[in-house]
Amino acid sequence: MERRAISISGIVQGVGLRPFVFGLASEFGLHGFVKNQTGGVLIEVEGEDRSVDGFFLALMKRPPPLAQFEEVSWTSCLPRNDTCFRIESSSADAASLIFPSPDVATCADCLAELFDPRDRRYRYPFLNCTNCGPRFTIIRNAPYDRERTTMESFVMCAECRAEYEDPYNRRFHAEPIACASCGPRLEALDAQGARLASADPLEAAIAALRQGRIIALKGLGGYHLACLAADARAVTELRRRKQRDAKPFALMVGDLAGAREIAEVSTSEAALLESRRRPIVLVRRRPGADVAVAVAPGSPDFGVMLPYTPLHHLLLRTLGSLPLVMTSGNRSDEPIAYEDDDASVRLAGIAYLYLTHNRPIHMRCDDSVTRIVDGKESPLRRSRGYAPQPMRLAVECRRPTLALGAS
Ligand SMILES: [Zn+2]
Ligand SMILES: [Zn+2]
């Protein structure tokens, strides 16, 4: 018999590592526990030597897809004759370096549920699971547990609670788990910030877009301003109200086929567009694309992104996949608005309608902007989907060095 205590740091919280470890320990017939701790994750397993070795190797060789191990250390300890494997509650002890997971675009499983009329989360704009959903932007503190996120105030209903506690469910310990009966809700506000009581919020937003209006949309890391990209009058008006002269606006399209209608998209650009980071990718515009000139005056490129939240998917699909301008919710040179009261003040006079919700954004995070240069990704703005993941430098710094990006 052997008992091994394994500490892992890096991107290990909010990436489905605990349920994964639970499954792996069951596979190898091991007992013990896994828990988040402030510096990362602590695992203790006991069982036959061979099984403990097998468990450790498997964990190192094929960790869950979103995890990124920085440091792994382990020690042998005396067996305690545990009789099962448990996910223990977190210990929030000594403060130390922690990298929460970046936000992750809606996964294929969740997307299938979103548009499945038989599913209990059919058309629910905030569904997510252990493999996708908000992370960095909702985490208030380490370790990553629901009570330290902006989901704290939403009390899980019995059905969500059962999924959250079932080790064989894909929402086992998915901290932002939610459904229409217990989770965040959409709301539509008029230009003055008064709630539109009558209409379905999503329908109201779509009707406004179709009428050539500019709307403000609360996303993962802040507000966007949106209008139909083909509507020259709306785009020109948005440029005037944002006081933005010529800098291109980003576009959101429903899917890859939609991106290919307006731009030339190479295989590597397509992979980047469809990646779980879902950045804005600079791609060569297609001549004759049905996009207003004012979107990117004089530029050979468009900045294009695909939907990355369930709300975006609902919006684009209900709209019949018409390309949308989706630009940061701010006036020229200001940071993106992300707090509800602040947004209604700062975007006053720009937005005709606010499509918002009651899940607070803790950390502001703008869309990332990237491109492919000589077959390799060369980011221009590394933010949502990337932050706060560290970057390893190819060279060693001889003295402590601080590098800061522009906001
Ligand atoms: Zn998912
Ligand atoms: Zn629920």
Side-chain angles (χ1 to χ4, degrees), residues 266-308:
S266 71
T267 315
S268 44
E269 286 161 347
L272 209 46
L273 277 171
E274 289 193 305
S275 75
R276 59 178 180 254
R277 301 180 188 280
R278 295 281 161 120
I280 296 169
V281 182
L282 297 189
V283 283
R284 189 150 284 265
R285 67 197 291 167
R286 198 180 272 283
D290 189 13
V291 169
V293 177
V295 166
S299 166
D301 298 328
F302 282 142
V304 177
M305 63 181 150
L306 300 187
Y308 54 85

CSV table of all heavy atoms in Angstrom, one decimal, residues 266-308:
chain,number,residue,atom,x,y,z
A,266,SER,N,-8.1,31.2,-44.0
A,266,SER,CA,-7.2,30.0,-44.2
A,266,SER,C,-7.6,29.0,-43.2
A,266,SER,O,-8.3,29.2,-42.2
A,266,SER,CB,-5.8,30.4,-44.1
A,266,SER,OG,-5.5,30.7,-42.8
A,267,THR,N,-7.0,27.8,-43.3
A,267,THR,CA,-7.2,26.7,-42.4
A,267,THR,C,-6.7,27.1,-41.0
A,267,THR,O,-7.5,26.8,-40.0
A,267,THR,CB,-6.4,25.4,-42.8
A,267,THR,OG1,-6.6,25.3,-44.2
A,267,THR,CG2,-6.9,24.2,-42.1
A,268,SER,N,-5.6,27.7,-40.9
A,268,SER,CA,-5.1,28.1,-39.5
A,268,SER,C,-5.9,29.2,-38.9
A,268,SER,O,-6.1,29.3,-37.7
A,268,SER,CB,-3.6,28.4,-39.5
A,268,SER,OG,-3.3,29.2,-40.6
A,269,GLU,N,-6.4,30.1,-39.8
A,269,GLU,CA,-7.3,31.2,-39.3
A,269,GLU,C,-8.6,30.6,-38.8
A,269,GLU,O,-9.2,31.0,-37.8
A,269,GLU,CB,-7.5,32.2,-40.3
A,269,GLU,CG,-6.3,33.1,-40.6
A,269,GLU,CD,-6.3,33.9,-41.9
A,269,GLU,OE1,-7.1,33.6,-42.8
A,269,GLU,OE2,-5.5,34.8,-42.0
A,270,ALA,N,-9.1,29.6,-39.6
A,270,ALA,CA,-10.4,28.9,-39.2
A,270,ALA,C,-10.2,28.2,-37.8
A,270,ALA,O,-11.1,28.3,-36.9
A,270,ALA,CB,-10.8,27.9,-40.2
A,271,ALA,N,-9.1,27.6,-37.6
A,271,ALA,CA,-8.8,26.9,-36.3
A,271,ALA,C,-8.8,27.9,-35.2
A,271,ALA,O,-9.4,27.6,-34.1
A,271,ALA,CB,-7.5,26.1,-36.4
A,272,LEU,N,-8.2,29.1,-35.4
A,272,LEU,CA,-8.2,30.1,-34.4
A,272,LEU,C,-9.6,30.7,-34.1
A,272,LEU,O,-10.0,30.9,-33.0
A,272,LEU,CB,-7.2,31.2,-34.9
A,272,LEU,CG,-6.5,32.0,-33.9
A,272,LEU,CD1,-5.8,31.2,-32.9
A,272,LEU,CD2,-5.4,32.8,-34.7
A,273,LEU,N,-10.3,30.9,-35.2
A,273,LEU,CA,-11.7,31.4,-35.0
A,273,LEU,C,-12.5,30.5,-34.2
A,273,LEU,O,-13.3,30.9,-33.4
A,273,LEU,CB,-12.4,31.6,-36.4
A,273,LEU,CG,-12.1,32.9,-37.2
A,273,LEU,CD1,-12.6,32.8,-38.6
A,273,LEU,CD2,-12.7,34.1,-36.5
A,274,GLU,N,-12.4,29.2,-34.5
A,274,GLU,CA,-13.2,28.2,-33.8
A,274,GLU,C,-12.6,27.7,-32.5
A,274,GLU,O,-13.2,26.8,-31.8
A,274,GLU,CB,-13.4,27.0,-34.7
A,274,GLU,CG,-14.4,27.3,-35.9
A,274,GLU,CD,-14.9,26.1,-36.7
A,274,GLU,OE1,-14.0,25.3,-37.1
A,274,GLU,OE2,-16.1,26.0,-36.8
A,275,SER,N,-11.4,28.2,-32.1
A,275,SER,CA,-10.8,27.7,-30.9
A,275,SER,C,-11.6,28.1,-29.7
A,275,SER,O,-12.5,29.0,-29.7
A,275,SER,CB,-9.4,28.3,-30.7
A,275,SER,OG,-9.5,29.6,-30.4
A,276,ARG,N,-11.4,27.5,-28.5
A,276,ARG,CA,-12.2,27.8,-27.3
A,276,ARG,C,-11.9,29.2,-26.8
A,276,ARG,O,-12.6,29.7,-26.0
A,276,ARG,CB,-12.0,26.8,-26.3
A,276,ARG,CG,-10.6,26.6,-25.8
A,276,ARG,CD,-10.5,25.6,-24.7
A,276,ARG,NE,-9.1,25.5,-24.3
A,276,ARG,CZ,-8.3,24.4,-24.6
A,276,ARG,NH1,-8.8,23.4,-25.2
A,276,ARG,NH2,-7.1,24.4,-24.2
A,277,ARG,N,-10.8,29.8,-27.3
A,277,ARG,CA,-10.5,31.2,-26.9
A,277,ARG,C,-11.3,32.2,-27.6
A,277,ARG,O,-11.6,33.3,-27.1
A,277,ARG,CB,-9.0,31.5,-27.2
A,277,ARG,CG,-8.0,30.6,-26.5
A,277,ARG,CD,-6.6,31.0,-26.9
A,277,ARG,NE,-5.6,30.1,-26.5
A,277,ARG,CZ,-5.1,30.0,-25.3
A,277,ARG,NH1,-5.5,30.8,-24.3
A,277,ARG,NH2,-4.1,29.2,-25.0
A,278,ARG,N,-11.7,31.9,-28.8
A,278,ARG,CA,-12.6,32.7,-29.6
A,278,ARG,C,-12.2,34.2,-29.7
A,278,ARG,O,-12.9,35.1,-29.4
A,278,ARG,CB,-14.1,32.7,-29.1
A,278,ARG,CG,-14.7,31.3,-29.3
A,278,ARG,CD,-15.2,31.1,-30.7
A,278,ARG,NE,-15.4,29.7,-31.0
A,278,ARG,CZ,-16.5,29.1,-31.4
A,278,ARG,NH1,-17.6,29.9,-31.5
A,278,ARG,NH2,-16.6,27.9,-31.6
A,279,PRO,N,-10.9,34.4,-30.2
A,279,PRO,CA,-10.5,35.8,-30.3
A,279,PRO,C,-11.1,36.4,-31.6
A,279,PRO,O,-11.7,35.8,-32.4
A,279,PRO,CB,-9.0,35.6,-30.5
A,279,PRO,CG,-8.8,34.3,-31.2
A,279,PRO,CD,-9.9,33.4,-30.7
A,280,ILE,N,-10.9,37.7,-31.7
A,280,ILE,CA,-11.1,38.4,-33.0
A,280,ILE,C,-9.9,38.1,-33.8
A,280,ILE,O,-8.8,38.3,-33.4
A,280,ILE,CB,-11.2,40.0,-32.7
A,280,ILE,CG1,-12.4,40.3,-31.9
A,280,ILE,CG2,-11.2,40.7,-34.1
A,280,ILE,CD1,-12.4,41.8,-31.4
A,281,VAL,N,-10.1,37.6,-35.0
A,281,VAL,CA,-9.0,37.2,-35.9
A,281,VAL,C,-9.0,38.1,-37.1
A,281,VAL,O,-10.1,38.4,-37.7
A,281,VAL,CB,-9.2,35.7,-36.4
A,281,VAL,CG1,-8.0,35.4,-37.3
A,281,VAL,CG2,-9.3,34.8,-35.2
A,282,LEU,N,-7.9,38.7,-37.4
A,282,LEU,CA,-7.8,39.6,-38.6
A,282,LEU,C,-7.7,38.7,-39.8
A,282,LEU,O,-6.8,37.9,-40.0
A,282,LEU,CB,-6.6,40.5,-38.5
A,282,LEU,CG,-6.6,41.5,-37.3
A,282,LEU,CD1,-5.5,42.5,-37.5
A,282,LEU,CD2,-8.0,42.2,-37.2
A,283,VAL,N,-8.7,38.9,-40.7
A,283,VAL,CA,-8.7,38.1,-42.0
A,283,VAL,C,-9.0,39.0,-43.2
A,283,VAL,O,-9.6,40.1,-43.0
A,283,VAL,CB,-9.8,37.0,-41.9
A,283,VAL,CG1,-9.4,35.8,-41.0
A,283,VAL,CG2,-11.1,37.6,-41.4
A,284,ARG,N,-8.5,38.6,-44.3
A,284,ARG,CA,-8.6,39.4,-45.5
A,284,ARG,C,-10.0,39.5,-46.0
A,284,ARG,O,-10.7,38.5,-46.1
A,284,ARG,CB,-7.7,38.8,-46.6
A,284,ARG,CG,-7.5,39.6,-47.8
A,284,ARG,CD,-6.2,39.4,-48.5
A,284,ARG,NE,-5.1,40.1,-47.7
A,284,ARG,CZ,-4.6,41.3,-48.0
A,284,ARG,NH1,-5.1,42.0,-49.0
A,284,ARG,NH2,-3.7,41.8,-47.3
A,285,ARG,N,-10.5,40.7,-46.2
A,285,ARG,CA,-11.9,40.9,-46.5
A,285,ARG,C,-12.2,40.4,-48.0
A,285,ARG,O,-11.3,40.5,-48.8
A,285,ARG,CB,-12.3,42.3,-46.4
A,285,ARG,CG,-11.7,43.3,-47.3
A,285,ARG,CD,-11.8,44.7,-46.9
A,285,ARG,NE,-13.2,45.2,-47.0
A,285,ARG,CZ,-13.6,46.4,-46.4
A,285,ARG,NH1,-12.7,47.1,-45.7
A,285,ARG,NH2,-14.8,46.8,-46.5
A,286,ARG,N,-13.3,39.9,-48.2
A,286,ARG,CA,-13.7,39.4,-49.5
A,286,ARG,C,-14.3,40.6,-50.3
A,286,ARG,O,-15.2,41.3,-49.8
A,286,ARG,CB,-14.8,38.3,-49.3
A,286,ARG,CG,-15.0,37.4,-50.5
A,286,ARG,CD,-16.0,36.4,-50.2
A,286,ARG,NE,-15.5,35.2,-49.5
A,286,ARG,CZ,-14.8,34.2,-50.2
A,286,ARG,NH1,-14.6,34.3,-51.5
A,286,ARG,NH2,-14.4,33.2,-49.6
A,287,PRO,N,-13.9,40.8,-51.5
A,287,PRO,CA,-14.4,41.9,-52.3
A,287,PRO,C,-16.0,41.7,-52.5
A,287,PRO,O,-16.4,40.6,-52.7
A,287,PRO,CB,-13.7,41.8,-53.6
A,287,PRO,CG,-12.5,40.9,-53.4
A,287,PRO,CD,-12.9,40.1,-52.3
A,288,GLY,N,-16.7,42.8,-52.3
A,288,GLY,CA,-18.2,42.7,-52.5
A,288,GLY,C,-18.9,42.1,-51.3
A,288,GLY,O,-20.1,41.9,-51.3
A,289,ALA,N,-18.2,41.9,-50.1
A,289,ALA,CA,-18.9,41.5,-48.9
A,289,ALA,C,-20.0,42.5,-48.5
A,289,ALA,O,-19.8,43.7,-48.6
A,289,ALA,CB,-17.9,41.3,-47.8
A,290,ASP,N,-21.1,41.9,-48.0
A,290,ASP,CA,-22.2,42.8,-47.7
A,290,ASP,C,-22.0,43.4,-46.3
A,290,ASP,O,-22.7,43.0,-45.3
A,290,ASP,CB,-23.5,42.0,-47.8
A,290,ASP,CG,-24.7,42.9,-47.6
A,290,ASP,OD1,-24.6,44.2,-47.7
A,290,ASP,OD2,-25.8,42.4,-47.4
A,291,VAL,N,-21.0,44.3,-46.2
A,291,VAL,CA,-20.7,44.9,-45.0
A,291,VAL,C,-20.5,46.4,-45.3
A,291,VAL,O,-19.8,46.8,-46.2
A,291,VAL,CB,-19.4,44.3,-44.4
A,291,VAL,CG1,-18.8,45.1,-43.2
A,291,VAL,CG2,-19.6,42.9,-44.0
A,292,ALA,N,-21.0,47.3,-44.4
A,292,ALA,CA,-20.9,48.7,-44.7
A,292,ALA,C,-19.5,49.2,-44.7
A,292,ALA,O,-18.7,48.7,-44.0
A,292,ALA,CB,-21.7,49.5,-43.6
A,293,VAL,N,-19.2,50.2,-45.6
A,293,VAL,CA,-17.9,50.7,-45.8
A,293,VAL,C,-17.3,51.2,-44.4
A,293,VAL,O,-16.2,51.0,-44.1
A,293,VAL,CB,-17.9,51.8,-46.8
A,293,VAL,CG1,-16.5,52.5,-46.9
A,293,VAL,CG2,-18.4,51.3,-48.2
A,294,ALA,N,-18.2,51.8,-43.7
A,294,ALA,CA,-17.8,52.4,-42.4
A,294,ALA,C,-17.3,51.4,-41.3
A,294,ALA,O,-16.8,51.8,-40.3
A,294,ALA,CB,-18.9,53.3,-41.8
A,295,VAL,N,-17.4,50.1,-41.6
A,295,VAL,CA,-17.0,49.1,-40.6
A,295,VAL,C,-15.4,49.2,-40.5
A,295,VAL,O,-14.9,49.2,-39.4
A,295,VAL,CB,-17.5,47.7,-41.0
A,295,VAL,CG1,-16.7,46.7,-40.2
A,295,VAL,CG2,-19.0,47.6,-40.7
A,296,ALA,N,-14.8,49.2,-41.6
A,296,ALA,CA,-13.3,49.2,-41.6
A,296,ALA,C,-12.8,50.0,-42.8
A,296,ALA,O,-12.2,49.4,-43.7
A,296,ALA,CB,-12.8,47.7,-41.7
A,297,PRO,N,-12.9,51.3,-42.7
A,297,PRO,CA,-12.6,52.2,-43.9
A,297,PRO,C,-11.1,52.0,-44.3
A,297,PRO,O,-10.3,52.1,-43.4
A,297,PRO,CB,-12.9,53.6,-43.4
A,297,PRO,CG,-13.6,53.5,-42.1
A,297,PRO,CD,-13.4,52.1,-41.6
A,298,GLY,N,-10.9,51.7,-45.5
A,298,GLY,CA,-9.5,51.7,-46.0
A,298,GLY,C,-8.7,50.5,-45.6
A,298,GLY,O,-7.5,50.4,-46.0
A,299,SER,N,-9.3,49.6,-44.9
A,299,SER,CA,-8.5,48.4,-44.4
A,299,SER,C,-8.7,47.2,-45.3
A,299,SER,O,-9.9,46.9,-45.7
A,299,SER,CB,-8.9,48.1,-43.0
A,299,SER,OG,-8.4,46.8,-42.6
A,300,PRO,N,-7.7,46.5,-45.6
A,300,PRO,CA,-7.9,45.3,-46.4
A,300,PRO,C,-8.4,44.1,-45.6
A,300,PRO,O,-8.8,43.1,-46.2
A,300,PRO,CB,-6.4,44.9,-46.9
A,300,PRO,CG,-5.5,45.5,-45.8
A,300,PRO,CD,-6.3,46.7,-45.3
A,301,ASP,N,-8.5,44.3,-44.3
A,301,ASP,CA,-8.9,43.2,-43.4
A,301,ASP,C,-10.2,43.5,-42.6
A,301,ASP,O,-10.5,44.7,-42.5
A,301,ASP,CB,-7.8,42.9,-42.3
A,301,ASP,CG,-6.5,42.5,-42.9
A,301,ASP,OD1,-6.5,41.9,-44.0
A,301,ASP,OD2,-5.4,42.9,-42.4
A,302,PHE,N,-10.8,42.4,-42.2
A,302,PHE,CA,-11.9,42.5,-41.2
A,302,PHE,C,-11.4,41.8,-39.9
A,302,PHE,O,-10.7,40.8,-40.0
A,302,PHE,CB,-13.1,41.8,-41.6
A,302,PHE,CG,-13.9,42.6,-42.7
A,302,PHE,CD1,-14.6,41.9,-43.7
A,302,PHE,CD2,-14.1,43.9,-42.6
A,302,PHE,CE1,-15.3,42.5,-44.6
A,302,PHE,CE2,-14.9,44.6,-43.5
A,302,PHE,CZ,-15.5,43.9,-44.6
A,303,GLY,N,-11.8,42.4,-38.8
A,303,GLY,CA,-11.6,41.6,-37.5
A,303,GLY,C,-12.9,40.9,-37.2
A,303,GLY,O,-13.9,41.5,-37.0
A,304,VAL,N,-12.8,39.5,-37.3
A,304,VAL,CA,-14.0,38.7,-37.2
A,304,VAL,C,-13.9,37.8,-36.0
A,304,VAL,O,-12.8,37.3,-35.7
A,304,VAL,CB,-14.1,37.9,-38.5
A,304,VAL,CG1,-15.3,36.9,-38.4
A,304,VAL,CG2,-14.2,38.8,-39.7
A,305,MET,N,-15.0,37.6,-35.4
A,305,MET,CA,-15.1,36.6,-34.3
A,305,MET,C,-16.3,35.8,-34.4
A,305,MET,O,-17.3,36.2,-35.0
A,305,MET,CB,-14.9,37.2,-32.9
A,305,MET,CG,-16.0,38.1,-32.5
A,305,MET,SD,-15.7,38.8,-30.9
A,305,MET,CE,-16.4,40.4,-31.0
A,306,LEU,N,-16.3,34.6,-33.8
A,306,LEU,CA,-17.5,33.7,-33.7
A,306,LEU,C,-18.2,33.9,-32.3
A,306,LEU,O,-17.5,34.3,-31.4
A,306,LEU,CB,-17.1,32.3,-34.0
A,306,LEU,CG,-16.5,32.0,-35.3
A,306,LEU,CD1,-16.3,30.5,-35.5
A,306,LEU,CD2,-17.3,32.6,-36.5
A,307,PRO,N,-19.4,33.5,-32.2
A,307,PRO,CA,-20.1,33.6,-30.9
A,307,PRO,C,-19.4,32.8,-29.8
A,307,PRO,O,-18.9,31.7,-30.1
A,307,PRO,CB,-21.5,32.9,-31.2
A,307,PRO,CG,-21.7,33.0,-32.7
A,307,PRO,CD,-20.3,33.0,-33.3
A,308,TYR,N,-19.3,33.4,-28.6
A,308,TYR,CA,-18.6,32.6,-27.6
A,308,TYR,C,-19.4,32.5,-26.3
A,308,TYR,O,-18.9,31.8,-25.4
A,308,TYR,CB,-17.2,33.2,-27.3
A,308,TYR,CG,-17.2,34.7,-27.0
A,308,TYR,CD1,-17.4,35.2,-25.7
A,308,TYR,CD2,-16.9,35.6,-28.0
A,308,TYR,CE1,-17.3,36.5,-25.4
A,308,TYR,CE2,-16.8,37.0,-27.7
A,308,TYR,CZ,-17.0,37.4,-26.4
A,308,TYR,OH,-17.0,38.8,-26.1
